[in-house]
Amino acid sequence: MSKKISTTGRVFNDPDPHDIYLSVARLEDHLKQAGIKAPFVIRELLQSQDWSTIEARYATSGRAPYAPICMVGLILYGILQGVSSLRGLEKFARVDLGCMWVTGGICPRRFHDQ
């Protein structure tokens, strides 16, 4: 799992979607060959934003949380695809290839399932 150190010094779980493979093919190549463009647009939009204000609100101790950009990406992409419940977003993160690109492949779970 990739880690990102924010400007606040906090380490976040922020995986790179370029590291995701489907068998021997990269996820990025698969999505492009399938003509699926939305995940690339969403991720690029999110990466153009300044997340430092949100990241600064996290405690600097404890286990690395999911990066806010990943979580917002999951919610935004899910809503655009008609998925809005937390339970639905959990499943969506695990099964939708476009969502995997947007989030870098994170699979958040409810606290009691961890």
Side-chain angles (χ1 to χ4, degrees), residues 2 4 11 39 52-53 61 65 73 86 109 114:
S2 298
K4 175 190 123 188
V11 176
S52 60
T53 304
S61 61
L86 292 178
R109 299 180 299 183
Q114 294 181 354

Side-chain angles (χ1 to χ4, degrees), residues 64-80:
Y66 293 122
I69 189 173
C70 295
M71 295 304 293
V72 171
L74 171 58
I75 295 166
L76 178 61
Y77 189 69
I79 288 172
L80 291 173

